[in-house]
Amino acid sequence: MIKRETIDAIVSACRIEEVVGDFVHLTKRGVNLIGLCPFHDEKTPSFNVSPARGIYKCFGCGEAGNAIRFVMQYEKCTYVEALRYLAKKYGITVEETERTPEAIRQMNEREALMAVSEFAASFFSDNLWKSTEGRNIGLSYFHERGFTDETIMKFRLGYSLSNRTALLDKAVNEGYTADNLEKAGLVLPPRQGEDDRRSDRFYERVMFPIQNFSGRVIAFGGRTLRSGDKKIAKYVNSPETEIYHKSDTLYGIFQARNAIRKADKCLLVEGYADVISMHQAGIENVVASSGTSLTANQVRLIRKLTNNVTVVYDGDAAGIHAAERAVGMMLKEGLDIRIVTLPPEDDPDSFARSHSLQEIEEYIANGERDFLKFRIDRFLQQPDHDDPLKKAAFIRAVAEDLALIPDSITLSVFVRQSSEMLEVSEDVLLSAVNKIRVRRYVEEKQRQSAPAEQEAAEAAEALVPEPSREKPVPDTPAFLTIADVERALLFRLVNYGDRMLVLEQEGEEPRIMRLDEMVFNDLEQDQLELETPLYHKFYNMYKEAFLRQPETVLQQLQYSQDEEVLQLYTALQDVKPAYSSGWKQRKSIIHTIDDQDELLREDLLDVLHNLRLMHLRKMKEECELALKTEQEEEEMLILLSKIRQINEYITIIEKKLGVTYR
Ligand SMILES: [Zn+2]
C-alpha cells in the first residue's frame, strides 16, 4: 500500500498539461490547451486540457478527469499503477507499507504481470553489470557493438544467465509466483517427459526489455550470442500476454516520445539495434516496428505524437520492399509519409555507428522523399519502364495506394504529381482511383450485412456519377426528364434566388441563407452538375454572378453577352410556378419565417430530390446495361451490388418525396 503522504505529494506535484502532454500533442487555445483525443478516433481536436482547473475533458466522447484518472484511462492501469507512474515522473519517492507476499498476491493480474516483468528487467540488468558471466559475455558484446554504458542503461539492456532457472528461482524467492512468471511469458511451463519443473524462457542471451508508452516493461527480446549453432534461434521474444500485444507496441516509443513530439516527426526503423544506435548517435525521435508491416494500432500510437513519419529502412531490395509495405496502413490513417533509403551496404544500425550526427541528419534531410515520388522514381529507373504492360500495371498499383488516402486535398495533390511523373492524364488516374474506392466500398459493404438507410445513402454518395452529356433516360416517366427538373431548378433560382430560407441539417444549428446559396451547397455536396448543356452554362453564369455580387445577380444576367443565356433568362421569367403537391401532407410543423417561405423551401427540396433521383436512375440504367455485356463474374457481382445500393438510395429519396414511380 502506498502511504497517504506519498499520494498527497504526488497530487500536488502533478500538472495536468505535463501529464497529458507526454501522450497527446497539445497546442494552446486561449487559457486552455487542445489536442487530438487519445480515447476516441478523431481527426480534428476536441480534447481540452485546463491547467487552471487541473482537468481534461473531451467534447467528442465525454471522457474527463484529473491527472491520475488520465493515466489510468490511458494506460488502462490501476489507481496504484497510475500513482507510481506519476511519482516516477515527478521524482517522488514512493513510501509504502511493507509489501508482504500476501500483498503481492492481492495485486490484480495486470499489475502483477507488470511487477514481475519489472523485476525480470532489473534481474537481467544486474546480471549484465554485476555477474561474471554477464560482464564477460553480455556487456563485452554490447561494448564491442559500440554501445556506451549510458546507452545500455537508457534502454535497460540486460543478460539472462546460462542457468535455466536463474530467474525463476530468484523471483519465487522474492515472493512472485511461478504462475505469474509463466503468464508474463518469462517462464516456460513444465515439459512432458522431462522433470516437471518449469524453466526460464530466456537463458544465455542479451536482453532487450520492451517498454510501453509510459515506460513500463511489458516484454523482452533476447538475442543469442552463439552465432555458430543453427539449432538455437537468433532471437527469442516474449509471447502475447495479458500485458503485451505485439501489434500494439513500438520498440523505443518510451525513449522517443518526447523527441518525436518536439521534432514533430517520427523515424521508423526495423530492429532494436537500429533504434539504439540512432539514439546513441543523437537521433532520438526513432522507433522500430519490429516486423515488416505496421498495424493500425501502431500507426495510431505514432499519430498521438505527430503526423509525419519518415521510414528509414535498409538500402537493399528487401529493405525497400519492407518500406513500401509499411506505407499502406499509414496512408490509410492519414499520415504524411516520407521514405529514405540508406546506401545498399548499410542498415540504420551500421549507418548510425559509422556517421556523425550531422551527417545522419543531412543524409535524411536530403534523401527523404514522399512515398509516392519514391515509388515512381524507383519505377522510372527500371530499364523496361516504358513497356506498356509494365507501366499499366504500375499505374494500377499507384492508384491502389492513392485510393487509401482519406483526405481529398492531399489526394488531389498526389494525383496531380503522379500523373505528371508518369505522363498519364490526371482524369484517367483519378478515375482509376475512384474505381478502386468504389470497389473497396462495395467489398466492405458485402462483408457487412444488409446496409442500414444511412449506409445506403453513403453508398449512393460514393457512387455519384460523373456528369454525363447524354439525353434523358428513356424509361423515366414522360412528364419528368432530367432537363425538366433542371429547368425547374433554374426557374426557382431566377424567381426566388434571393429569398431567405431556413436550412436545417441534422446535428447542426439551423441557418438562414439565400435560396440560391442553398442550391449551390446542395449540388456541390454531391458534386452534381446540370447536364443539359444550356442549363449547365446558365447555372454556372448565375453562380459566377452570385460570387461577384449576390445583390445584383439578375442585373448581371440581363447584361449577359450570351444570346442563348439571355433568351433563357427571359423565358424562365414567363413560366408559372409549378410547386409539387407532396409538401402539404408532409408539412407538420412550420418553423420558418413564414408559411410562404416554408412552401418555397419544401418545393425546392422536391426539385433537388428529383434531380438526384434522375441521376440515380440513370446510373442504374448504365449499370444494368453494363451487366448485360459483362463477362467477368467478379465484375458482375460488383455491378449487382451497385444496383442494389442505388435502389436503396432511390427508395430513400422517393420516401422523402412521398412518391413512388417505377
Ligand atoms: Zn474523445
Side-chain angles (χ1 to χ4, degrees):
M1 292 287 284
I2 297 177
K3 282 187 178 167
R4 185 71 234 170
E5 298 85 79
T6 303
I7 299 176
D8 292 343
I10 293 168
V11 169
S12 57
C14 274
R15 299 191 55 190
I16 185 78
E17 67 275 25
E18 292 172 356
V19 174
V20 175
D22 282 344
F23 305 95
V24 180
H25 180 73
L26 294 170
T27 48
K28 239 180 144 48
R29 170 83 55 93
V31 294
N32 291 342
L33 298 124
I34 191 163
L36 289 176
C37 178
F39 302 119
H40 80 281
D41 204 24
E42 64 175 4
K43 297 217 162 92
T44 50
S46 52
F47 185 83
N48 277 258
V49 172
S50 165
R53 299 167 61 203
I55 57 163
Y56 66 93
K57 179 168 174 60
C58 172
F59 291 104
C61 66
E63 187 50 53
N66 62 10
I68 299 169
R69 163 92 184 166
F70 179 85
V71 176
M72 288 170 69
Q73 285 300 108
Y74 190 87
E75 293 290 343
K76 300 270 178 287
C77 70
T78 62
Y79 182 70
V80 173
E81 273 186 291
L83 284 176
R84 277 183 205 286
Y85 165 81
L86 291 168
K88 199 170 166 193
K89 176 174 171 60
Y90 287 100
I92 295 164
T93 313
V94 177
E95 289 186 44
E96 43 192 315
T97 49
E98 193 68 17
R99 184 188 284 202
T100 61
E102 183 60 26
I104 293 171
R105 264 196 295 281
Q106 280 169 354
M107 282 189 291
N108 75 41
E109 181 153 295
R110 277 180 62 82
E111 173 67 19
L113 300 189
M114 295 251 191
V116 76
S117 300
E118 175 62 34
F119 174 79
S122 304
F123 179 68
F124 294 142
S125 173
D126 282 351
N127 291 343
L128 184 77
W129 295 102
K130 293 175 188 160
S131 78
T132 315
E133 184 189 341
R135 292 186 69 89
N136 286 347
I137 302 173
L139 193 58
S140 62
Y141 164 78
F142 285 138
H143 284 161
E144 266 167 47
R145 285 194 109 266
F147 293 170
T148 64
D149 288 355
E150 198 192 340
T151 300
I152 294 168
M153 282 187 255
K154 184 176 179 183
F155 286 91
R156 306 189 61 185
L157 306 182
Y159 182 78
S160 55
L161 300 168
S162 53
N163 172 352
R164 295 198 180 188
T165 57
L167 173 65
L168 177 67
D169 294 344
K170 177 84 175 163
V172 169
N173 195 33
E174 296 274 322
Y176 298 94
T177 68
D179 272 352
N180 280 342
L181 284 158
E182 194 182 315
K183 283 180 191 158
L186 290 161
V187 158
L188 298 166
R191 270 194 273 176
Q192 283 196 334
E194 297 182 20
D195 54 2
D196 63 352
R197 277 211 69 186
R198 293 174 157 103
S199 60
D200 291 352
R201 180 182 299 273
F202 303 100
Y203 52 88
E204 238 187 327
R205 290 172 181 273
V206 284
M207 299 299 295
F208 299 82
I210 297 167
Q211 291 165 273
N212 70 7
F213 208 91
S214 51
R216 304 290 305 264
V217 176
I218 52 173
F220 294 88
R223 184 192 197 281
T224 184
L225 300 180
R226 293 192 182 201
S227 51
D229 195 338
K230 286 232 167 76
K231 272 185 274 176
I232 297 174
K234 190 173 173 194
Y235 279 98
V236 166
N237 297 302
S238 294
E240 296 277 311
T241 66
E242 177 78 13
I243 53 171
Y244 174 59
H245 305 286
K246 186 165 186 277
S247 62
D248 297 353
T249 310
L250 287 166
Y251 182 73
I253 190 80
F254 172 64
Q255 287 86 355
R257 61 188 196 180
N258 288 328
I260 292 172
R261 202 169 14 237
K262 215 168 139 200
D264 193 14
K265 180 175 183 172
C266 176
L267 303 182
L268 185 71
V269 296
E270 273 193 286
Y272 305 142
D274 298 331
V275 170
I276 298 172
S277 291
M278 293 281 265
H279 267 263
Q280 186 163 300
I283 295 186
E284 299 191 330
N285 56 330
V286 52
V287 297
S289 56
S290 314
T292 41
S293 46
L294 284 187
T295 66
N297 283 343
Q298 288 172 326
V299 173
R300 284 178 199 138
L301 213 52
I302 296 173
R303 217 180 55 190
K304 281 177 193 160
L305 301 168
T306 181
N307 267 326
N308 304 302
V309 174
T310 295
V311 181
V312 189
Y313 277 11
D314 304 0
D316 61 12
I320 289 168
H321 192 58
E324 287 184 343
R325 264 188 299 168
V327 162
M329 189 50 76
M330 293 194 276
L331 282 178
K332 208 169 162 187
E333 290 291 324
L335 290 181
D336 288 335
I337 308 149
R338 284 160 201 285
I339 293 180
V340 60
T341 48
L342 299 171
E345 66 279 8
D346 269 318
D347 57 33
D349 175 24
S350 63
F351 190 79
R353 280 186 283 131
S354 55
H355 293 79
S356 72
L357 174 61
Q358 196 192 347
E359 283 168 345
I360 301 169
E361 280 175 338
E362 277 173 9
Y363 186 89
I364 292 174
N366 297 331
E368 65 179 4
R369 281 166 294 168
D370 73 67
F371 84 99
L372 202 65
K373 192 164 188 313
F374 173 83
R375 281 199 76 172
I376 297 175
D377 276 346
R378 257 174 45 76
F379 174 73
L380 294 178
Q381 278 159 21
Q382 290 174 16
D384 56 350
H385 70 267
D386 268 336
D387 177 291
L389 288 177
K390 277 249 162 71
K391 188 168 172 183
F394 180 72
I395 290 171
R396 271 195 292 276
V398 167
E400 292 277 348
D401 273 352
L402 289 170
L404 290 171
I405 298 175
D407 178 64
S408 59
I409 295 173
T410 311
L411 174 63
S412 71
V413 172
F414 276 120
V415 167
R416 188 168 326 127
Q417 182 191 322
S418 23
S419 73
E420 279 165 13
M421 290 178 73
L422 288 165
E423 293 171 344
V424 39
S425 100
E426 215 174 306
D427 286 348
V428 168
L429 188 59
L430 186 61
S431 109
V433 169
N434 283 335
K435 259 189 211 153
I436 292 164
R437 290 186 139 177
V438 168
R439 188 197 74 209
R440 284 188 190 149
Y441 188 88
V442 169
E443 286 167 356
E444 186 58 31
K445 283 292 114 191
Q446 282 171 339
R447 236 170 283 145
Q448 297 162 7
S449 53
E453 215 175 71
Q454 173 62 24
E455 288 169 338
E458 282 168 11
E461 241 164 67
L463 292 170
V464 161
E466 297 287 308
S468 139
R469 305 278 166 231
E470 283 167 30
K471 289 284 161 208
V473 181
D475 83 335
T476 313
F479 56 91
L480 221 53
T481 63
I482 287 191
D484 288 339
V485 181
E486 289 179 344
R487 190 181 176 97
L489 187 66
L490 295 185
F491 171 79
R492 281 149 186 82
L493 285 182
V494 168
N495 294 285
Y496 308 105
D498 60 349
R499 294 278 282 275
M500 303 304 283
L501 300 180
V502 176
L503 174 70
E504 290 180 288
Q505 275 173 331
E506 242 186 293
E508 282 184 35
E509 290 286 319
R511 280 181 297 159
I512 295 178
M513 59 164 66
R514 281 173 59 128
L515 180 145
D516 45 16
E517 222 179 334
M518 206 156 135
V519 172
F520 300 150
N521 287 344
D522 194 86
L523 294 196
E524 262 167 27
Q525 210 171 39
D526 285 355
Q527 296 172 349
L528 229 58
E529 288 188 39
L530 305 199
E531 59 175 71
T532 313
L534 173 59
Y535 297 163
H536 181 82
K537 181 162 72 173
F538 188 90
Y539 177 81
N540 285 342
M541 287 184 77
Y542 186 102
K543 198 168 164 183
E544 278 162 25
F546 174 86
L547 292 174
R548 271 194 297 274
Q549 196 178 22
E551 299 79 12
T552 61
V553 171
L554 296 183
Q555 287 92 318
Q556 293 182 60
L557 285 173
Q558 273 163 2
Y559 290 107
S560 166
Q561 303 295 309
D562 190 323
E563 291 263 341
E564 256 190 330
V565 167
L566 257 184
Q567 221 174 21
L568 178 60
Y569 174 72
T570 323
L572 283 171
Q573 282 182 316
D574 288 335
V575 181
K576 291 277 172 238
Y579 292 149
S580 62
S581 55
W583 68 272
K584 276 179 195 140
Q585 297 92 44
R586 292 196 307 279
K587 187 174 65 159
S588 50
I589 308 164
I590 296 174
H591 30 211
T592 38
I593 304 162
D594 61 46
D595 281 17
Q596 193 58 42
D597 285 324
E598 173 62 14
L599 182 102
L600 198 55
R601 192 177 77 101
E602 291 281 358
D603 163 73
L604 180 70
L605 290 178
D606 275 2
V607 174
L608 291 170
H609 286 326
N610 268 306
L611 192 63
R612 255 189 199 76
L613 206 54
M614 298 285 112
H615 277 275
L616 285 165
R617 291 225 176 91
K618 189 166 167 190
M619 278 170 60
K620 189 179 151 190
E621 277 292 314
E622 286 164 357
C623 287
E624 281 168 347
L625 204 67
L627 193 60
K628 280 180 193 151
T629 54
E630 184 57 60
Q631 303 294 323
E632 297 281 342
E633 193 186 345
E634 200 185 340
E635 294 294 324
M636 287 167 73
L637 282 174
I638 292 170
L639 284 168
L640 281 169
S641 151
K642 256 195 217 176
I643 291 169
R644 201 191 70 220
Q645 284 161 10
I646 294 170
N647 274 336
E648 274 160 352
Y649 197 30
I650 286 176
T651 312
I652 293 169
I653 296 180
E654 284 177 343
K655 222 183 275 170
K656 283 184 188 161
L657 279 168
V659 294
T660 318
Y661 19 68
R662 288 253 163 121

